[in-house]
Amino acid sequence: MPDGSIPKPARQRSVAVPIRRLSASEVRQAVDVLQAAHRQPDGSLSDRFDTARLFDHLYDSVFAQSAGQARFFVARPLFSSTIVGVFAYRPTWCSAHGWELAYLAVHPDWQGRGIGTDLIQVVLAAVAEEGKAGDFIFVRAARPASFQRFGFSPCMGDPHLMVGKVGALAVAKPVAEGV
């Protein structure tokens, strides 16, 4: 839209919202989606969603070549230049046999259409391809049920800290562009 706002779609399951790796030209939009999805009712954001911090993480994921760098994916509707969802994964710092999922966000105007589920499936498929069977996957989930349906379970007595294992999770490998 000319004013830079995201067009509001009809409230129904989106038919075609391809998911692919983040490109440098999409970093600004990805930051906007992350902040819009995680903004508190009072308008505040946690330090994790600070603009400069997000820019660093996202640009590093596009340009850095280190093995421990996060890999960001974005969802963008067909025939649109607007990013509506973001999700990432990276090797966990606590083990050579683990992965961490982070920064799941779907723009509030696009929530409830299965885009978050599609992002989870694409990221889990990417982890399965890059990792090894039995590797663990951690995620701190605001909505644990979103991950429990894939086979994740609460960890260490924290209902929001979820764990699963590569090869043991229910993942239908979706088509993702540029993976």
Side-chain angles (χ1 to χ4, degrees):
M1 296 182 82
D3 65 359
S5 64
I6 295 177
K8 292 185 180 184
R11 279 276 184 207
Q12 60 184 357
R13 169 85 166 130
S14 294
V15 176
V17 181
I19 297 170
R20 59 185 165 59
R21 298 266 179 150
L22 174 72
S23 71
S25 65
E26 298 166 327
V27 168
R28 172 76 254 175
Q29 285 187 57
V31 168
D32 291 345
V33 168
L34 284 159
Q35 290 180 332
H38 292 281
R39 192 167 304 283
Q40 299 300 311
D42 67 1
S44 66
L45 287 165
S46 74
D47 290 343
R48 182 172 188 219
F49 297 102
D50 172 73
T51 301
R53 185 181 210 177
L54 287 175
F55 267 102
D56 285 348
H57 284 309
L58 274 70
Y59 273 116
D60 284 351
S61 78
V62 173
F63 295 111
Q65 299 298 316
S66 72
Q69 192 58 51
R71 291 94 160 140
F72 278 84
F73 285 82
V74 294
R76 186 183 77 193
L78 288 175
F79 310 111
S80 173
S81 60
T82 304
I83 299 301
V84 299
V86 180
F87 198 26
Y89 74 97
R90 66 178 171 214
T92 187
W93 58 269
C94 64
S95 171
H97 303 287
W99 301 89
E100 177 184 359
L101 310 182
Y103 294 108
L104 176 60
V106 176
H107 192 281
D109 293 341
W110 284 79
Q111 292 175 4
R113 290 173 187 77
I115 296 168
T117 297
D118 291 349
L119 282 161
I120 292 169
Q121 287 182 331
V122 167
V123 167
L124 290 177
V127 170
E129 188 171 306
E130 191 171 340
K132 297 177 184 79
D135 283 1
F136 65 87
I137 306 170
F138 279 120
V139 63
R140 177 160 295 284
R143 296 184 183 123
S146 297
F147 292 90
Q148 286 173 325
R149 68 177 160 213
F150 289 99
F152 282 83
S153 56
C155 179
M156 299 176 2
D158 183 342
H160 295 280
L161 181 60
M162 309 295 291
V163 66
K165 287 194 173 188
V166 172
L169 298 173
V171 179
K173 188 166 180 159
V175 176
E177 300 176 19
V179 177

